[in-house]
Amino acid sequence: MRTLCRSTILLTIGLVFLIPTDALRMRGDEQLPGLAALNKRRPTEDEMTASKGPQGRVVGGTTAALGEWPWIVTLQNIYSFHFCSGVIISENWVITAASCVSGLRPRNVLVVVGTVDWWDYTAVYYNADAIHVHCNFDNPLYHNDIALIHIYGEFEFDDYIANATLADIDELQEGDKLKFAGWGSSSATGSYERYLQQAEGTYLPVEQCRSDLGDTEDVDYGHVCVKLNAGTGACHGDAGGPLIDEQNRVVGFGNWGVPCGYGRPDVYARAAFYNDWIRTTINGCGSA
């Protein structure tokens, strides 16, 4: 099923850093993004017009051009409110973070494609008909944060809608440039704005990443870490979004970090680590 979509809203999510370990959480003990957004509605057109426009999102980012990220999707609830991102990997499959869709019924998820403006009146949306969350999601915390969404029908690929190439082996070396994008807020207490933002950092090996994040056990070889300058990074609403290498291969999906843009590494689920799970799930051997 396919139709035209209209979407956005101003969402404020506060996060107070009480102790160092709490500072490591993008979610912490708060409600998962999809469930938190279940009944949120977009603002009126007048409210959107009065908002501050194409600023913010990925902290320290720049606005992406239409077609620059043809495989990125905005995941929205039935009221067309953005809550997470995802990545097109075939004619009818999208990858996102498990934290984005855990607990949601497929009928409550819209996959909106071919736009950099998540409030775009002309953007095409597809209805989800199945959600597959990794069976070991958050066991332990922040591990296996990956899910697959199957849509009704098939995506119609063009210059603005395409499937991504997933990195199937680990070739990253320290210092490699990595680029990411999303529709999240511009600060930990900021609100979502309209336009897709992009920024870049460099690959940071797992051991160094774990050390930089206070020797946390929430980083392992199923993660890709991005070294960032202060003032740049992912934030609330960027979960599930793509991390790409210099060959435009998707190497990770937005997982967690210290919100937002404080110069600490951001952490992504490693695409190559989950290749077997992705293949078996798509082929009907995974758990629904």
Side-chain angles (χ1 to χ4, degrees):
M1 181 184 297
R2 202 183 69 149
T3 185
L4 295 183
C5 180
R6 310 182 166 189
S7 296
T8 241
I9 199 162
L10 303 177
L11 169 68
T12 301
I13 301 176
L15 182 67
V16 179
F17 295 154
L18 299 177
I19 56 176
T21 53
D22 285 347
L24 294 177
R25 311 300 185 193
M26 182 167 281
R27 301 193 310 269
D29 295 325
E30 68 192 41
Q31 197 173 19
L32 296 178
L35 292 174
L38 192 59
N39 296 310
K40 292 186 181 294
R41 297 175 181 266
R42 66 163 67 189
T44 66
E45 188 170 3
D46 287 344
E47 289 171 334
M48 181 54 66
T49 301
S51 71
K52 54 187 176 180
Q55 304 171 15
R57 297 261 160 67
V58 165
V59 181
T62 59
T63 303
L66 184 62
E68 197 167 357
W69 295 78
W71 46 81
I72 197 170
V73 308
T74 160
L75 299 181
Q76 302 180 5
N77 66 14
I78 58 174
Y79 304 110
S80 296
F81 172 73
H82 167 85
F83 59 88
C84 277
S85 297
V87 181
I88 298 171
I89 60 167
S90 76
E91 291 84 357
N92 45 28
W93 288 96
V94 168
I95 291 184
T96 187
S99 54
C100 291
V101 294
S102 182
L104 293 181
R105 295 179 179 180
R107 69 188 186 199
N108 291 322
V109 179
L110 303 178
V111 178
V112 184
V113 300
T115 185
V116 293
D117 175 2
W118 72 264
W119 205 71
D120 183 357
Y121 276 99
T122 64
V124 176
Y125 80 73
Y126 294 81
N127 297 89
D129 69 358
I131 295 174
H132 301 259
V133 173
H134 196 287
C135 61
N136 287 320
F137 164 55
D138 256 8
N139 182 21
L141 191 64
Y142 297 107
H143 292 212
N144 306 303
D145 191 5
I146 189 169
L148 282 162
I149 299 172
H150 187 270
I151 64 160
Y152 285 109
E154 295 184 349
F155 295 116
E156 295 185 7
F157 294 150
D158 56 26
D159 290 341
Y160 309 116
I161 305 170
N163 63 300
T165 299
L166 300 184
D168 56 2
I169 57 174
D170 290 315
E171 297 179 311
L172 293 172
Q173 301 293 320
E174 184 171 6
D176 284 353
K177 290 182 180 179
L178 300 173
K179 196 172 181 179
F180 53 96
W183 283 278
S185 55
S186 58
S187 67
T189 56
S191 56
Y192 294 170
E193 302 179 39
R194 289 184 60 161
Y195 299 95
L196 181 67
Q197 297 289 293
Q198 58 187 357
E200 68 176 37
T202 57
Y203 175 67
L204 188 66
V206 168
E207 296 85 352
Q208 184 60 51
C209 178
R210 185 183 294 134
S211 175
D212 288 357
L213 290 170
D215 294 321
T216 177
E217 295 182 357
D218 292 340
V219 176
D220 67 6
Y221 291 99
H223 295 113
V224 175
C225 292
V226 185
K227 183 178 181 180
L228 302 159
N229 295 323
T232 302
C235 199
H236 303 294
D238 289 324
L243 178 71
I244 62 173
D245 64 14
E246 293 183 85
Q247 288 75 48
N248 280 338
R249 297 174 301 185
V250 177
V251 297
F253 310 95
N255 187 188
W256 69 277
V258 180
C260 298
Y262 282 91
R264 306 286 289 279
D266 281 342
V267 184
Y268 290 74
R270 187 181 295 266
F273 186 86
Y274 292 102
N275 267 339
D276 287 344
W277 180 83
I278 293 167
R279 282 195 294 266
T280 56
T281 301
I282 288 175
N283 291 330
C285 303
S287 300

